[in-house]
Coordinates of all heavy atoms in Angstrom, one line a residue:
R9 N -21.8 1.8 0.5 CA -21.9 3.2 1.1 C -23.3 3.5 1.7 O -23.5 4.1 2.6 CB -21.5 4.3 0.0 CG -21.1 5.6 0.6 CD -20.6 6.5 -0.4 NE -19.4 6.1 -1.0 CZ -19.2 5.5 -2.2 NH1 -20.3 5.5 -3.1 NH2 -18.0 5.0 -2.7
A10 N -24.3 3.0 0.9 CA -25.7 3.1 1.4 C -26.0 2.4 2.6 O -26.8 2.7 3.5 CB -26.7 2.7 0.2
M11 N -25.2 1.3 2.9 CA -25.3 0.5 4.1 C -24.5 1.1 5.2 O -24.5 0.5 6.3 CB -24.8 -0.9 3.7 CG -25.6 -1.7 2.7 SD -24.8 -3.0 1.9 CE -24.0 -3.9 3.2
G12 N -23.8 2.1 4.9 CA -22.9 2.8 5.9 C -21.6 2.2 6.1 O -21.0 2.3 7.2
I13 N -21.1 1.5 5.1 CA -19.8 0.8 5.1 C -18.8 1.6 4.2 O -19.0 1.9 3.1 CB -19.9 -0.6 4.6 CG1 -20.9 -1.5 5.5 CG2 -18.5 -1.3 4.6 CD1 -21.1 -2.8 5.0
K14 N -17.6 1.9 4.9 CA -16.6 2.6 4.2 C -15.6 1.6 3.5 O -15.2 0.6 4.1 CB -15.8 3.5 5.2 CG -14.7 4.3 4.5 CD -14.0 5.3 5.6 CE -13.3 4.6 6.7 NZ -12.6 5.5 7.5
T15 N -15.3 1.9 2.4 CA -14.3 0.9 1.6 C -12.9 1.6 1.5 O -12.9 2.8 1.1 CB -14.9 0.7 0.2 OG1 -15.3 1.9 -0.5 CG2 -16.1 -0.2 0.3
V16 N -11.9 0.9 1.6 CA -10.5 1.3 1.7 C -9.8 0.3 0.7 O -9.7 -0.9 1.1 CB -9.9 1.3 3.1 CG1 -8.5 1.9 3.0 CG2 -10.7 2.2 4.1
M17 N -9.2 0.9 -0.4 CA -8.4 0.1 -1.2 C -6.9 0.0 -0.7 O -6.4 1.0 -0.4 CB -8.4 0.7 -2.7 CG -7.7 -0.1 -3.7 SD -7.7 0.7 -5.3 CE -6.5 2.0 -5.0
I18 N -6.4 -1.2 -0.7 CA -5.0 -1.4 -0.3 C -4.3 -1.8 -1.5 O -4.6 -2.8 -2.3 CB -5.0 -2.5 0.7 CG1 -5.9 -2.3 1.9 CG2 -3.6 -2.7 1.2 CD1 -5.5 -1.0 2.7
T19 N -3.2 -1.2 -1.7 CA -2.4 -1.5 -2.9 C -0.9 -1.1 -2.7 O -0.5 -0.3 -1.9 CB -2.9 -0.7 -4.2 OG1 -2.0 -1.0 -5.3 CG2 -2.9 0.8 -3.9
G20 N -0.1 -1.8 -3.4 CA 1.3 -1.6 -3.4 C 1.8 -0.5 -4.5 O 3.0 -0.1 -4.5
D21 N 0.8 0.0 -5.2 CA 1.1 1.0 -6.3 C 1.6 2.4 -5.6 O 1.3 2.6 -4.5 CB -0.2 1.2 -7.1 CG -0.4 0.0 -8.0 OD1 0.5 -0.8 -8.2 OD2 -1.6 -0.1 -8.5
N22 N 2.1 3.2 -6.4 CA 2.5 4.5 -6.0 C 1.2 5.3 -5.8 O 0.1 4.9 -6.4 CB 3.4 5.2 -7.0 CG 2.7 5.4 -8.3 OD1 1.8 6.2 -8.5 ND2 3.2 4.7 -9.4
P23 N 1.3 6.4 -5.1 CA 0.0 7.2 -4.8 C -0.7 7.7 -5.9 O -1.9 7.8 -6.0 CB 0.6 8.3 -3.9 CG 1.8 7.8 -3.2 CD 2.4 6.9 -4.3
L24 N 0.0 8.1 -7.0 CA -0.7 8.6 -8.3 C -1.6 7.5 -8.9 O -2.7 7.7 -9.3 CB 0.4 9.2 -9.2 CG 1.1 10.5 -9.0 CD1 2.1 10.8 -9.9 CD2 -0.1 11.6 -8.9
T25 N -1.0 6.3 -9.1 CA -1.7 5.3 -9.7 C -2.8 4.8 -8.8 O -4.0 4.6 -9.2 CB -0.7 4.0 -9.9 OG1 0.3 4.4 -10.7 CG2 -1.5 2.9 -10.5
A26 N -2.6 4.8 -7.4 CA -3.6 4.3 -6.5 C -4.8 5.4 -6.5 O -6.0 5.0 -6.5 CB -3.0 4.3 -5.1
K27 N -4.4 6.6 -6.6 CA -5.5 7.7 -6.6 C -6.4 7.6 -7.8 O -7.6 7.7 -7.7 CB -4.8 9.1 -6.5 CG -5.8 10.2 -6.4 CD -5.1 11.5 -6.3 CE -6.1 12.7 -6.2 NZ -5.4 14.0 -6.1
A28 N -5.7 7.3 -8.9 CA -6.5 7.3 -10.2 C -7.5 6.1 -10.2 O -8.7 6.1 -10.6 CB -5.6 7.2 -11.3
I29 N -7.0 4.9 -9.7 CA -7.8 3.7 -9.7 C -8.9 3.8 -8.7 O -10.1 3.4 -8.8 CB -7.0 2.5 -9.4 CG1 -6.0 2.2 -10.6 CG2 -7.9 1.3 -9.2 CD1 -5.0 1.1 -10.4
A30 N -8.6 4.5 -7.5 CA -9.6 4.6 -6.4 C -10.7 5.5 -6.9 O -11.8 5.3 -6.6 CB -8.8 5.2 -5.2
A31 N -10.3 6.6 -7.6 CA -11.4 7.5 -8.1 C -12.3 6.8 -9.2 O -13.5 6.9 -9.1 CB -10.7 8.7 -8.8
E32 N -11.7 6.0 -10.0 CA -12.5 5.3 -11.0 C -13.4 4.2 -10.3 O -14.6 4.0 -10.8 CB -11.6 4.5 -12.0 CG -12.4 3.9 -13.1 CD -11.4 3.3 -14.2 OE1 -10.2 3.6 -14.1 OE2 -11.9 2.6 -15.2
A33 N -12.9 3.5 -9.4 CA -13.6 2.4 -8.6 C -14.7 2.9 -7.7 O -15.7 2.2 -7.5 CB -12.7 1.5 -7.9
G34 N -14.5 4.1 -7.2 CA -15.5 4.7 -6.3 C -15.3 4.3 -4.9 O -16.2 4.4 -4.1
V35 N -14.1 4.0 -4.5 CA -13.8 3.6 -3.1 C -13.7 4.9 -2.2 O -13.5 6.0 -2.9 CB -12.5 2.8 -2.9 CG1 -12.7 1.4 -3.5 CG2 -11.3 3.6 -3.4
D36 N -13.9 4.8 -1.0 CA -14.0 6.0 -0.2 C -12.6 6.5 0.3 O -12.4 7.6 0.4 CB -14.7 5.7 1.1 CG -16.2 5.3 0.9 OD1 -16.9 6.1 0.1 OD2 -16.6 4.3 1.3

């Protein structure tokens, strides 16, 4: 993020699971 790069997590999980993991991992 400091380098100006946006991270996007790709997953087959449902949106609730994906949202929780994304928040914990700190992806954008």
